[in-house]
Each structure stands twice: as structure tokens, then as C-alpha cells.
Amino acid sequence: MRSTLTWAQLRDLECAELEGAADGWGTSSNRADAARDRIEQQLLTGLRDTQEGEAAQAAVARLRQLGRNFQYVYTECGLLRTTLNSLAHEMKTQQRALKEALDDAAALKYTVHADGSVTYPSGGEGLVDGAPLRGGTAASSGLQGLVPPSGLVAPNPNVAKAQDIADRVTGAVRTAAEIDWRYAGILRRLKAEEGLKVPASTWKDAAGDAAEVRDAAGAYLRDAIPRDASPAARRDWWAGLTQEQREEYLAVYPDQIGNLDGIPALVRDAANRDNLSLLIGKLEGRDDDKSVTQLAGLREIERQLGAAAKPGEPPMFLLGISDEGNGRAIVSYGNPDTAKNVAAYVPGLNTSLDEDFAKNDLKRARDTAIATRDIDPSSAMVAWLGYDAPQLLDGGESLAVMGDGRAEEGGRSFSEFMGGLAATNHNDDPHMVAVGHSYGSRTVGAATQQDSGIPAVDDIVLVGSPGVGVDRAEDLQVGRDHVFVGAAENDWVTRAPSKLQGNMAAVAGPVGYIAGGLLDRGDDDLWFGKDPASEAFGARRFHADAGPSVITGGFDAHSLYFDRNGADSVSADSIALIAAGKADKVKVEEPR
């Protein structure tokens, strides 16, 4: 790379003009965002409410496409704004370094020439006659800090000072030239295809654009994101930003802001909806199994977000989305920041970001939210897939089912998520509930062992549990009367043998298995500790339909706890009552 940039040009560069251009692109981005909101919140809603038939359906499809086009304009213009602001930010840094060098030269009465060399006056004393030593000119080698000292000391003290100034001037100019070259390349690539349509291939390019701008804007924006702070500190950080700063973060880092616990739900939802489009563009066209599976799940979530809410259904908020690991997705039905009752459901075994999760696990949360809001309208229900649940039939992944590692890691993440909900909730003392299903109950159990328990959680619901990692309900740190358990008689997971039996069977076969069972005198040990439905555990057990037997129904009994359409919906009703803060109305039954 060769550059003709001079220190005078760097000194005189008007970074305010770059920032002014950035403001212009920001205005365009905001206008596109407002247009998209008008289409989605007004035009589409009005059209669905007043029109029917093929023509109306075609109009809805066209409006959706127009909304996605405006979303693309919003994203790209936002990237341009941040690129220009980041360029100005980095150039200002080099201008400051240059100014300091020039100020030092002026104070010493040195002359800085156009090529960056520095002329210094005579000084010091000759060793023979004591006369001042001649002045001269120092030029930078371009290797500032890399050339080791020769061991010789120049008798004129001005030499070293002039050399330092020359190196600093040249260093600032060369760094600025590299910055200019790097950002010029980014700006040249930030352009869309010709035409009025924004196809999937364009969103794929947008995902690449966003990644490139994120890399470039690290020092300008990314490094200030408080990733290691508490949820409350993150909330305060966001509240302290200017509107322009918030807009830039949402445009460039929707993945970071959307998945940051402590950021308000409305902001996370907006960020994650944008990131959803970028993720779909990123995975589009890939043919590996993971990408194909996750893309199907993402598309189904996108479909649901774009569909009109039916009467009585709560609004949908996307609180997290990512292709990390087996995928991440956090969806709330109802606004968790305004609701007095907030419950979060943690799925377990075999759950990943796929079409099944997007259809079935989200349906469980949605149905529970509807039932809960019938009891208390100020309620929200969250489906939280914020960790890698074990995959039973996925080769080596099967071993994860037997261990605590996924639960421990997921428990830390879930605890922080609930802390984020507590930090952003507008009510003085919200009622919060953690609901764990299957291996998700083990994850909830792990979360309770973080510090003083799961932040702000009042009640815990465990269904289809293979154990939670503790042997007593009071160890979950909400009080034994606030721990509720549902265990269907035909649910094979709630009958999983203890680790003791499993280990002894591995060593001594059937005899060892039987011996392990004899040591479990109460027949109440499961794989991850005491059976939560047992008398020894001490939780409050509510009724759950036995479900079909493993012989006739496979594993269906493990998945019916949230079913409101089955012959027996007592379990689903009990979960809704607990989530709504009406646990005193739950009918309990005898433990195992």
C-alpha cells in the first residue's frame, strides 16, 4: 500500500464533515425504520382487519416484502453511518498524536518539514573546545520502537528529541493512511444490487457487510459494550447512551444488544428481529446439517413474528437469537418488563434451534401464557433456549445426557437471564417463576446453586424431571412450599435409575443394578439425585395425567405436561396458576 497522505493533510482533515455525512446516513436509516414500523404496525394490521380474499392476501405479501426492503435500507444505512463515525473516531486519534508531536516541536523551536523530517538547532558542548555542537535534521526510519539503540550517545541533546518527534509524525501519518485505505475498501463494498427487490442473496451480503463493519468499529463501539457487567449495570449503561449511540449499536451490533441480559425487552426485540434476518441470510444456501436445521427453525420463528396475533393471544417478543452451538432462541409471550407475573420455561432433552422447537416448544409457552393471562392479564411467559441441551440420539452427544456439564453451564446463563428480567421489570416486586422440563429441570436446579439462588425467582416448577442436582426442595433456595412438581406415572424420564445403579450395572451387570437398587431404600433416587416427586424431596406435587405407556405411546407421556387440549389438563392448569401467582389454588397430591 502506497499513500500520498501528508502530515499537513492529516492535521487539516475536517472529521466533523465525516460525522456530518454519518448523520445524514443515520437520518436515512431512521426514516427507513419508521417506514417499516408503519407498514408492520398500521398498514398490515389494518389490511388484515378489514379485508379478505386473494387480493388482500396478495397485498399483505407485497407489504411484507416492502417492509423487508425498508429493513434492509435501515440496516445498510446504519452500517454506513457507523463506518463513517468509526473512520472519524480513528482519524481523530491520529490527529491528536500528530498535534502533540507538532506542539512539542514548536515548544522546542524545531522545524517540521513537509516530508516529516525535523530540523533541530545546535546544542550541548564539544568535548575538545566546549563549543555548541552543530544542529541537523532527523528523519524517521518508519520503524518507530523497532530499532534497538546502538549504544552510542549523540552529544547534541536535540538529536534524540528531534528523532522522537519525526518518528511520531511519520507514525501518525502512516497509521492514518492505513485507516483511510481500510475504510475506503469497506465503503466501496457497502452497496446493494440494482433494482427494487431485496432477495435472499442480498441479505446474505448484508450479513457479510455487518460482520466487516463490526470488525472495523471495534474500538469505536464494540469495546464499550459491558459484557462482563451485571444486568443492572448493563441496564444503566444503555439508559446513559445518547439516542444516536443507541441507534448505531442497534444497526451494527443487533446480535450483541439483542442477547445482552439487562437491556430492555423492547430494545432486545427490535435488535433480534434485525439479527434474525442477518442470520437467515448468513445460513441461506449452506447445505450442512446444522445450517439446514437451524435455518428451518429461524424461518418458522420469522413466520410467527410476521403473522397477525389472534384475539386473546399475547404479543411476541424475541429476546434472544443466535446460531451458537445447537442454536439459541428466547421468546416471550407478553412484555416481561411490564408484566407483574413473569415465568420462564427451560426445555431439556433433545431441544435445539429447529423447526420442532419453533412449533412445539414455543406453542407450550404461548398456550401457558394465554392460560396465565386469563387468570391475571399482567403476565408473560418466556421460552428460554439459552444453552445446549443434550441430544439423546446424536452420536457422542448422547453422553451429555448422563452428565451435569450442560446443566451447569446452562444454569449460569439462565440465572443471568432471570437477573436481567428482574433488572428491567417496571414493577416494584414482580412475581417470577422458573419452569424446568426434563433435563431443563436439572438446568434450573443448577441455576439455583448460583450465589443466593436464581435472582428474584419466587416459585419453581419441575416437570418430567430426572432429578435437579439436590436432594431436598429447600436446597433450591425458594422455600420448600414454593417448589412444585409434576411427574406422570408413565414418563420414563421420571423413572430414570440412579447413577449408583447405573455405575454398579456397568461394573457387575444385572446383579450390580439390583444391588444398587437395594441401597436406594426409599426407591426415590433418580439419575440427578432424589426424585423431586418423592416424599423425601419435600416439594408440593400436583397431578399430571399418567399418559400412554411406553409400550403403546412411546415417550409421549414425557411431553404432555403443558397440553391443554388433552383429556386431563390439570398439569397445564397448575402451571398457569403458579405462573399467575395463584399457587394457593393448586391442588396437590400425595408424593411418590
Side-chain angles (χ1 to χ4, degrees):
M1 179 188 67
R2 296 180 63 85
S3 173
T4 58
L5 183 68
T6 66
W7 65 260
Q9 290 173 322
L10 175 59
R11 179 197 61 192
D12 298 336
L13 176 65
E14 295 290 345
C15 289
E17 293 182 1
L18 292 173
E19 293 169 332
D23 290 342
W25 286 108
T27 299
S28 298
S29 179
N30 293 338
R31 287 175 177 171
D33 192 34
R36 177 185 59 172
D37 283 346
R38 183 165 181 263
I39 289 170
E40 294 178 351
Q41 304 299 327
Q42 299 179 30
L43 298 182
L44 277 173
T45 301
L47 188 60
R48 291 192 189 104
D49 291 345
T50 60
Q51 304 294 321
E52 295 182 357
E54 293 183 4
Q57 292 176 0
V60 166
R62 293 288 295 274
L63 282 173
R64 281 180 178 168
Q65 180 60 56
L66 183 59
R68 282 178 57 80
N69 289 1
F70 276 123
Q71 181 182 4
Y72 175 77
V73 173
Y74 158 77
T75 298
E76 289 292 303
C77 289
L79 293 177
L80 280 163
R81 169 178 56 186
T82 298
T83 300
L84 291 170
N85 275 334
S86 184
L87 170 60
H89 172 78
E90 292 196 37
M91 284 298 196
K92 283 181 178 179
T93 300
Q94 300 311 313
Q95 280 186 320
R96 285 194 295 270
L98 174 65
K99 182 178 184 301
E100 290 174 0
L102 295 176
D103 287 348
D104 287 347
L108 293 167
K109 294 183 170 46
Y110 295 175
T111 300
V112 180
H113 302 285
D115 63 356
S117 60
V118 179
T119 296
Y120 55 90
S122 59
E125 295 181 355
L127 296 178
V128 178
D129 57 6
L133 298 172
R134 291 185 306 174
T137 300
S140 174
S141 65
L143 299 175
Q144 182 180 3
L146 297 180
V147 179
S150 65
L152 300 177
V153 178
N156 186 340
N158 293 317
V159 174
K161 296 176 183 177
Q163 186 65 57
D164 174 66
I165 292 172
D167 286 341
R168 287 156 59 196
V169 169
T170 300
V173 171
R174 290 192 176 185
T175 302
E178 187 277 331
I179 293 169
D180 179 62
W181 175 81
R182 177 159 45 88
Y183 278 94
I186 295 173
L187 290 168
R188 279 194 296 268
R189 289 186 288 275
L190 284 175
K191 60 181 180 181
E193 297 179 9
E194 293 184 2
L196 298 177
K197 292 184 178 181
V198 182
S201 60
T202 301
W203 274 110
K204 183 177 181 179
D205 291 340
D209 292 341
E212 191 169 16
V213 174
R214 287 170 194 160
D215 289 340
Y220 171 59
L221 290 177
R222 184 186 61 215
D223 294 348
I225 298 175
R227 295 176 186 81
D228 297 328
S230 68
R234 293 168 181 166
R235 174 201 61 201
D236 295 341
W237 168 76
W238 183 260
L241 296 177
T242 66
Q243 183 60 29
E244 181 180 353
Q245 288 172 323
R246 293 176 186 172
E247 291 167 359
E248 285 199 81
Y249 275 113
L250 286 173
V252 181
Y253 292 105
D255 58 327
Q256 300 273 341
I257 301 304
N259 291 289
L260 198 62
D261 298 321
I263 300 298
L266 287 172
V267 176
R268 292 181 71 163
D269 178 63
N272 284 314
R273 287 177 186 245
D274 289 335
N275 192 38
L276 178 62
S277 295
L278 294 174
L279 283 173
I280 289 174
K282 173 184 174 182
L283 299 180
E284 188 74 46
R286 295 184 180 179
D287 58 2
D288 60 285
D289 291 342
K290 176 184 174 181
S291 296
V292 171
T293 297
Q294 291 188 352
L295 184 60
L298 293 171
R299 287 200 178 282
E300 174 58 23
I301 292 174
E302 181 185 49
R303 184 196 68 77
Q304 293 182 32
L305 288 169
K310 297 178 182 178
E313 287 193 356
M316 188 174 175
F317 294 82
L318 189 59
L319 301 184
I321 198 74
S322 169
D323 62 345
E324 175 188 353
N326 291 332
R328 306 284 187 266
I330 306 172
V331 178
S332 179
Y333 294 92
N335 188 337
D337 286 354
T338 59
K340 292 187 298 183
N341 303 295
V342 182
Y345 149 60
V346 182
L349 193 66
N350 273 357
T351 310
S352 63
L353 178 54
D354 57 16
E355 193 170 13
D356 180 72
F357 167 82
K359 289 183 175 179
N360 296 321
D361 286 280
L362 292 190
K363 183 178 185 300
R364 292 174 182 174
R366 182 174 62 249
D367 289 349
T368 304
I370 293 171
T372 304
R373 288 161 70 92
D374 285 342
I375 302 168
D376 186 339
S378 184
S379 300
M381 182 71 180
V382 180
W384 184 85
L385 181 59
Y387 77 120
D388 280 334
Q391 306 298 300
L392 180 61
L393 301 177
D394 188 15
E397 281 265 326
S398 300
L399 297 176
V401 180
M402 303 171 64
D404 299 277
R406 299 288 178 85
E408 296 291 342
E409 183 177 349
R412 288 188 288 271
S413 298
F414 182 65
S415 180
E416 185 165 290
F417 172 75
M418 296 303 287
L421 293 186
T424 57
N425 192 278
H426 300 170
N427 297 281
D428 291 335
D429 186 21
H431 171 247
M432 303 185 74
V433 181
V435 182
H437 175 236
S438 185
Y439 190 87
S441 68
R442 175 67 186 92
T443 302
V444 169
T448 67
Q449 303 307 296
Q450 303 294 315
D451 298 325
S452 57
I454 308 176
V457 165
D458 303 289
D459 297 301
I460 291 175
V461 179
L462 310 168
V463 290
S465 176
V468 296
V470 299
D471 290 335
R472 301 180 306 166
E474 52 260 42
D475 293 335
L476 297 178
Q477 306 199 65
V478 293
R480 61 183 297 169
D481 290 339
H482 292 272
V483 180
F484 300 84
V485 177
E489 287 304 310
N490 289 328
D491 182 354
W492 65 277
V493 174
T494 71
R495 299 291 188 180
S498 69
K499 286 184 180 180
L500 174 62
Q501 287 175 285
N503 292 335
M504 293 187 73
V507 174
V511 174
Y513 183 86
I514 294 171
L518 292 174
L519 293 175
D520 179 13
R521 295 182 182 276
D523 191 26
D524 53 12
D525 285 348
L526 296 182
W527 191 261
F528 294 114
K530 287 291 180 189
D531 178 1
S534 69
E535 183 177 6
F537 191 81
R540 300 172 68 184
R541 185 185 181 192
F542 55 83
H543 179 75
D545 185 50
S549 69
V550 175
I551 297 174
T552 60
F555 301 147
D556 288 355
H558 186 58
S559 304
L560 299 178
Y561 296 98
F562 301 86
D563 187 4
R564 305 194 59 78
N565 301 317
D568 187 349
S569 62
V570 175
S571 174
D573 291 340
S574 296
I575 295 172
L577 283 168
I578 298 166
K582 305 295 182 182
D584 57 312
K585 296 185 178 181
V586 173
K587 295 181 180 180
V588 297
E589 65 178 19
E590 291 297 317
R592 285 178 176 173

